[in-house]
Amino acid sequence: MSEQGFRRFRRRGAPADAMPIAADDGSSPPSPSIAPAAAAPSQLPATLPGSWDRIRQVPFDAAAQAQARLPLVSRFRADPAAKSFDLLRTRLLHTLKARGWKRVAVTAPAAGCGTTFSAVNLALSLARVPDSRTILMDMNFRRPGAARALGMTAPGGLAGFLSGRVQLEDQLLRPLPTLAVGLNSAADQDAAEILHGRSCAGVLEDMILRLDADTALFDLPPVLEHDDTAAFLPQVDGVLLIADGTSTTAAQLAACEKMLAGHTQMLGVVLNRARKADSPLN
Ligand SMILES: Nc1ncnc2c1ncn2[C@@H]1O[C@H](COP(=O)(O)OP(=O)(O)OP(=O)(O)O)[C@@H](O)[C@H]1O
Ligand SMILES: [Mg+2]
């Protein structure tokens, strides 16, 4: 039996008809070695599910999504906005793969530019890649928004998880087979301290390793508002900056680039709310 076949055999619980048991029809001489062989399958060590499979799967309800205030463009695949996220995903994956990176911060110059909107829709687009693993973490402790955007309920605050008190499997949820999310239940004003915390970096590193994730997206607070994002930059490989086509100024973008320079790589600037007349979502 091939190694792959053996793994499938063990995972299925070793069905009786597949066991090498000799029939005792009197035609063959009694063999003392046969009885232990028949009992052996039940003694095989069970294959433990990996960490990804142990994360609780939750129904991802289209009706709940519709009630969420934040539009999820994945519901309208033909929409220009959905196509834009798929294009962004492809370009991002290309860059990450070329550089061997996985951890991407999503942030903006100011509040309300669409960081959560972009992070959630990009995560859903990434999760459509077959057999992939995407993690979306809501690291905006001042205004957590990913749970509401997804129409989901957070199992608790992320601070306990980042400090190492709460286990990965108890904090993360899987709304899709290819997507795990770390949601935050309530605002916490100690954001910078949590993100600076001694255990935060180790917990996130361990999470990505154990889950064997392809991409981890971190929804962060605005760069120019608090120092939370700056505190978190050492944990990421690059930053996607979301600019609001209706309000972000060139001076704000320049200030962000100056702040990020030397700390992390700028993966790109995404122009949100760019085509007001074209998209029914705007
Ligand atoms: N392109 C878009 N089309 C339609 N609505 C949008 C778009 N971008 C953002 N919004 C809406 O604007 C509001 C603010 O967006 P979002 O929550 O993503 O901002 P944010 O940058 O995460 O804000 P904060 O800094 O407070 O976390 C939300 O209600 C969201 O639904
Ligand atoms: Mg947000």
Side-chain angles (χ1 to χ4, degrees):
M1 187 185 289
S2 69
E3 193 188 335
Q4 202 183 4
F6 180 66
R7 276 206 215 107
R8 272 205 301 271
F9 174 78
R10 272 174 41 163
R11 222 175 285 147
R12 280 202 310 262
D17 59 2
M19 296 297 105
I21 302 172
D24 187 13
D25 57 2
S27 58
S28 50
S31 164
S33 63
I34 286 176
S42 61
Q43 292 161 9
L44 282 173
T47 308
L48 288 173
S51 295
W52 182 268
D53 294 313
R54 291 208 303 278
I55 298 175
R56 186 153 56 94
Q57 291 200 50
V58 290
F60 192 47
D61 181 359
Q65 284 184 45
Q67 284 160 14
R69 267 187 54 209
L70 194 145
L72 295 181
V73 298
S74 65
R75 295 172 62 229
F76 314 102
R77 292 297 306 280
D79 186 273
K83 288 185 183 158
S84 303
F85 279 109
D86 286 348
L87 190 63
L88 177 63
R89 167 195 67 190
T90 305
R91 288 187 180 163
L92 181 68
L93 285 177
H94 188 76
T95 307
L96 296 182
K97 198 175 166 194
R99 302 186 187 187
W101 290 348
K102 289 176 183 230
R103 303 165 301 168
V104 178
V106 187
T107 184
C113 286
T115 304
T116 302
F117 169 82
S118 304
V120 167
N121 281 298
L122 180 58
L124 290 171
S125 179
L126 285 163
R128 283 198 294 273
V129 176
D131 298 323
S132 62
R133 291 182 177 183
T134 300
I135 307 173
L136 171 67
M137 301 294 289
D138 190 347
M139 307 299 275
N140 187 338
F141 284 88
R142 294 173 198 274
R143 282 185 302 273
R148 193 185 53 166
L150 288 161
M152 295 170 64
T153 306
L158 263 188
F161 169 64
L162 294 177
S163 67
R165 292 195 308 273
V166 177
Q167 289 300 305
L168 174 72
E169 293 83 0
D170 297 327
Q171 182 68 49
L172 270 61
L173 298 171
R174 262 196 314 151
L176 296 171
T178 48
L179 176 66
V181 292
L183 305 174
N184 221 338
S185 56
D188 192 328
Q189 298 310 311
D190 298 330
E193 290 76 16
I194 296 166
L195 297 176
H196 257 312
R198 286 175 61 183
S199 57
C200 176
V203 166
L204 293 176
E205 181 108 29
D206 176 67
M207 173 188 80
I208 292 170
L209 266 178
R210 275 176 55 201
L211 295 181
D212 193 17
D214 297 298
T215 317
L217 295 183
F218 300 96
D219 178 352
L220 284 161
V223 174
L224 304 178
E225 227 173 71
H226 302 283
D227 57 352
D228 309 4
T229 300
F232 192 69
L233 290 181
Q235 319 308 331
V236 298
D237 298 310
V239 171
L240 269 183
L241 195 62
I242 311 301
D244 183 342
T246 65
S247 65
T248 301
T249 64
Q252 283 179 324
L253 287 179
C256 289
E257 286 186 32
K258 195 172 162 197
M259 212 215 82
L260 300 173
H263 297 288
T264 188
Q265 294 291 322
M266 182 76 97
L267 291 167
V269 178
V270 178
L271 192 58
N272 187 30
R273 297 191 177 100
R275 288 178 292 182
K276 268 200 162 302
D278 295 352
S279 170
L281 291 169
N282 285 303

